[in-house]
Amino acid sequence: MTERTLVKNLAAREDGTVTIAGWVETVRDQKKVQFVILRDETGSVQVVNPATRESDGTNDAAVATTEAISGLTTGSFVRVTGELKHDERVKLGGIEVKLASLEVASLAFPEPPIADDSSIDKRLDWRFIDLRRPEQNLVFRAQTTFEHALRTWWVDNDFIEIHTPKLMASASESRAELFEIEYFEGKAYLAQSPQFFKQMAQPAGFGKVFEIAPAFRADPSFTSRHATEFTSVDAEISWVDSHEDVMAMHEQLLVAGLQAVKDKHGDAIKAAFDVDIVVPTAPFPRIPLAEAHEILKAHGYEVPRADGDLDPEGERQLSEHVKETYGHEFVFVTDYATGIRPFYHRRHDDDASLTNSYDLLFNGVEISTGAQREHRVDVLIAQAEEKGMDPKELEFYLDFFRHGVPPHGGFGMGLQRVMMLMLHQPSIREVTYLFRGPNRLLP
Ligand code: AMO
């Protein structure tokens, strides 16, 4: 293992010998002196080498080093040992490393396949090179901090982490978005959500559970917010009285997540994306769907969907209204109509046309769906039949409700959507390590 100093730690070190390692960003090869900008995962630093040309004399090693630097290509991975020097005149961080030895671990092809202004598709073709950009590195650092804060909050609040199977015998969400695969002599389906299995933790007596894991949707759309594989952040809790209890947990979790990102990366995010991370205040605004329609109408926008669900423009305008009215980037849209919700959502006791459910919008886009679940098995079967489902196909799931189960509820949240909206990015492609869409299975 190379003992190396991370570039971000150089500034705090005293002058002296250091080893750094990373990739070459630029080489300035002048007659008398050579400059290499070396970047690692934490920052970039100037390496300087007094050039020794063959014509200069007899120092073969120095000539070889000079020639090696002349031959360095952008993207080559190198190890450098040299003398760290603090010098205010150096533009890049006020430090430089005077090269003593250079080891080229891997020389890159001279022509990088992408540039900063390449199209997003081209960049995704060469994602490993695209990810070298410092802003990209920051996206995934921020995501790591965000997930860590969620996990910490859950662990501190007695949740159990579960890992549910991604191979299933049936659909849990819309059948239209189901990937079917060959499974020995039969068929299996890729999990669209951990829905059924996180609910199973309730009769299992786990109380409160969470999972962060892949989910798959055979969704042929090419929008900025849809992928065929995404990371689903899920929680499910026992003993809820309504969806209100789920929202109360959900908002506290997001406050913790955004606070952590702001604390650790707020300045870097401001510098890289010109975005202020706003830690939301709880409770988040709540607006019933019917009222959301009225608000939009009053703003001159009629949601085109006959079924009443908000379309992307409706979501955008409603979020704008909430921002202006409450100064809030989040809004829970609640009490969705039964017709546009899955069979497992619990309905209002006094009005079966409405569900105890919500969507959470963040900066104009849906990031999450949550609900209280129907846990009375006879009602659940009737609701499934009403949606045209065959209860026989759901026997394993229905069994969860036949041997004792507490009232419960939970939510699913798309991690990439959260990151896209947190960092004001134009597409989830920008914040997905390796995007998967109808046209993309590589790299
Ligand atoms: P839903 O289907 O609304 O609900 O999904 C929950 C959240 O997952 C994200 N998401 C997606 N992200 C990227 N690409 C997609 N194709 C995609 N589809 C969904 C969104 C969405 O809000 N079982 C319920 C959750 C629950 O009730 O607990 C469910 O899956 O951010």
Side-chain angles (χ1 to χ4, degrees), residues 292-364:
H293 281 273
E294 292 308 313
I295 291 168
L296 289 170
K297 250 192 224 150
H299 279 73
Y301 185 70
E302 191 103 22
V303 174
R305 290 188 57 166
D307 62 12
D309 201 0
L310 297 183
D311 64 329
E313 180 57 19
E315 289 179 353
R316 198 188 63 72
Q317 290 205 20
L318 186 69
S319 278
E320 217 169 79
H321 164 82
V322 169
K323 189 91 201 269
E324 280 162 18
T325 315
Y326 306 100
H328 218 286
E329 294 185 341
F330 290 87
V331 57
F332 286 118
V333 181
T334 65
D335 305 280
Y336 276 69
T338 301
I340 49 174
R341 288 310 221 192
F343 76 100
Y344 55 78
H345 281 197
R346 172 131 178 171
R347 299 173 183 179
H348 285 200
D349 287 340
D350 56 358
D351 182 357
S353 72
L354 296 176
T355 56
N356 282 2
S357 75
Y358 67 86
D359 271 10
L360 177 57
L361 311 187
F362 178 26
N363 283 333

Side-chain angles (χ1 to χ4, degrees), residues 217-236:
R217 304 278 170 108
D219 190 331
S221 51
F222 290 90
T223 76
S224 58
R225 55 171 81 179
H226 288 97
T228 49
E229 177 175 351
F230 65 97
T231 309
S232 190
V233 176
D234 283 85
E236 197 74 19

Side-chain angles (χ1 to χ4, degrees), residues 408-427:
H408 59 276
F411 70 80
M413 179 166 76
L415 180 63
Q416 286 81 20
R417 288 202 192 173
V418 176
M419 295 312 298
M420 165 179 80
L421 296 155
M422 186 195 297
L423 301 174
H424 297 203
Q425 292 301 292
S427 163

Side-chain angles (χ1 to χ4, degrees), residues 230-280:
F230 65 97
T231 309
S232 190
V233 176
D234 283 85
E236 197 74 19
I237 54 177
S238 292
W239 299 113
V240 304
D241 291 331
S242 74
H243 50 314
E244 184 54 48
D245 293 327
V246 183
M247 291 190 281
M249 176 259 295
H250 200 165
E251 61 196 4
Q252 284 185 58
L253 189 69
L254 283 165
V255 168
L258 281 151
Q259 182 74 59
V261 172
K262 186 179 176 68
D263 289 349
K264 193 155 182 192
H265 310 287
D267 293 344
I269 288 170
K270 179 76 182 164
F273 301 114
D274 195 22
V275 167
D276 290 304
I277 299 294
V278 179
V279 180

